[in-house]
Amino acid sequence: MAATNAGGPVAARADGIWKVYGSGEARVAALRGVSAEFGRGRFTAIMGPSGSGKSTLMHCLAGLDTVSEGTVHIGGTEISTLGDKALTRLRRDRIGFIFQQFNLLPTLSAAENIRLPLDIAGRKADPQWWDTVIGTVGLKDRLSHRPSQLSGGQQQRVACARALMGRPDVIFADEPTGNLDSRSGAEVLSFLRSSVREHGQTIVMVTHDPVAASYADRVVFLADGSIVDELADPTAETVLDTMKRLDAPSDSVML
Ligand SMILES: Nc1ncnc2c1ncn2[C@@H]1O[C@H](COP(=O)(O)OP(=O)(O)O)[C@@H](O)[C@H]1O
Ligand SMILES: [Mg+2]
């Protein structure tokens, strides 16, 4: 099935994308003709069991990996045909990333980590936006700390601030709460949620956690490299119900 955005503006789009790793005996089709739209100013979760292709889809959408077939658009730009240099620039200027392992540079302070993508792009942080973001993630007193001096939750909040500071067209987050306790995870998710609601940020988040997915506006479900379902205005219960239904063997008789 193709997951569309019901006519709203689209921040990222996949059209019939395939991703095949290896060849011969080792051939793995991680994505099998995925078509999906991700709405601007919306928080979309991508869910599915381990190995279903979630990270591969995110990497292809974000230009971190190339597709074997099909096209990817970020806004109006088709990225599947861009060369390395243009792709690097697009990632730098228009996309923010949040990873499960935080990916902060250990020798830099929190403030330096947050500023790094802008520094590399030769841009300055807008002072008002800086204060807003730092205030919202609650890092005012931690800005001079190195990552090793921060808890996991604080490190991920630094990573969120880093992703938001450049006001990218899309933030891609791969299991952003996967390494956090539930309380720190909830803080990070609330923060992502409010950046969408209050500041119109676009977020695409990969997760296998129904509670995390319930913070999104919409959930797209992957299984074996294909989109198999989607859900609007999810709750943890409706996400869980959908997962159970997708898990049930198709030939089973429901009594
Ligand atoms: N670099 C790679 N080389 C070979 N196979 C890969 C590679 N990356 C992912 N895969 C395979 O593609 C499938 C989807 O992986 P992935 O996108 O990481 O799933 P998920 O994030 O949903 O757990 C899996 O079968 C995985 O083993
Ligand atoms: Mg993954």
Side-chain angles (χ1 to χ4, degrees):
M1 70 180 279
T4 63
N5 187 41
V10 171
R13 192 169 96 224
D15 284 298
I17 63 173
W18 283 74
K19 179 65 183 180
V20 180
Y21 292 109
S23 59
E25 295 266 288
R27 184 180 182 279
V28 178
L31 298 176
R32 304 161 174 268
V34 170
S35 295
E37 295 179 337
F38 299 91
R40 191 179 302 155
R42 305 259 291 159
F43 188 175
T44 310
I46 300 174
M47 284 207 83
S50 181
S52 57
K54 301 184 297 296
S55 294
T56 303
L57 176 57
M58 195 201 95
H59 290 163
C60 290
L61 287 168
L64 291 170
D65 206 345
T66 57
V67 296
S68 308
E69 228 181 275
T71 59
V72 172
H73 283 78
I74 295 291
T77 310
E78 184 184 338
I79 69 166
S80 16
T81 53
L82 292 181
D84 275 352
K85 259 197 178 148
L87 201 52
T88 302
R89 205 177 314 124
L90 175 129
R91 280 199 306 264
R92 191 189 72 191
D93 296 341
R94 295 175 57 187
I95 295 177
F97 293 99
I98 303 170
F99 297 100
Q100 185 174 352
Q101 310 286 353
F102 320 138
N103 288 26
L104 303 177
L105 290 187
T107 58
L108 299 184
S109 70
E112 288 164 340
N113 267 289
I114 293 168
R115 219 178 281 127
L116 187 64
L118 289 171
D119 283 348
I120 290 172
R123 292 163 61 195
K124 287 251 176 298
D126 173 64
Q128 219 174 339
W129 183 235
W130 174 273
D131 289 345
T132 301
V133 172
I134 299 301
T136 317
V137 294
L139 286 168
K140 241 191 173 78
D141 305 329
R142 295 283 185 278
L143 286 176
S144 59
H145 290 57
R146 301 264 172 88
S148 61
Q149 300 170 307
L150 299 172
S151 70
Q154 289 167 339
Q155 289 185 59
Q156 195 62 308
R157 285 190 269 139
V158 171
C160 289
R162 177 180 61 184
L164 276 160
M165 204 51 82
R167 293 179 175 274
D169 290 356
V170 195
I171 289 178
F172 289 102
D174 193 353
E175 306 272 8
T177 58
N179 270 337
L180 303 180
D181 60 74
S182 57
R183 190 167 150 260
S184 308
E187 281 171 7
V188 163
L189 289 162
S190 305
F191 175 59
L192 295 178
R193 173 70 260 166
S194 69
S195 74
V196 172
R197 189 177 293 147
E198 288 161 33
H199 305 293
Q201 181 62 55
T202 302
I203 299 181
V204 178
M205 173 181 75
V206 165
T207 182
H208 65 266
D209 174 6
V211 174
S214 72
Y215 284 76
D217 296 307
R218 170 175 166 245
V219 186
V220 170
F221 293 87
L222 269 183
D224 291 330
S226 297
I227 291 178
V228 290
D229 211 338
E230 68 173 306
L231 203 55
D233 304 318
T235 64
E237 288 71 34
T238 57
V239 171
L240 206 52
D241 285 348
T242 307
M243 287 166 75
K244 280 188 196 147
R245 189 161 42 76
L246 294 174
D247 259 356
S250 52
D251 59 352
S252 70
V253 179
M254 308 294 272
L255 294 172

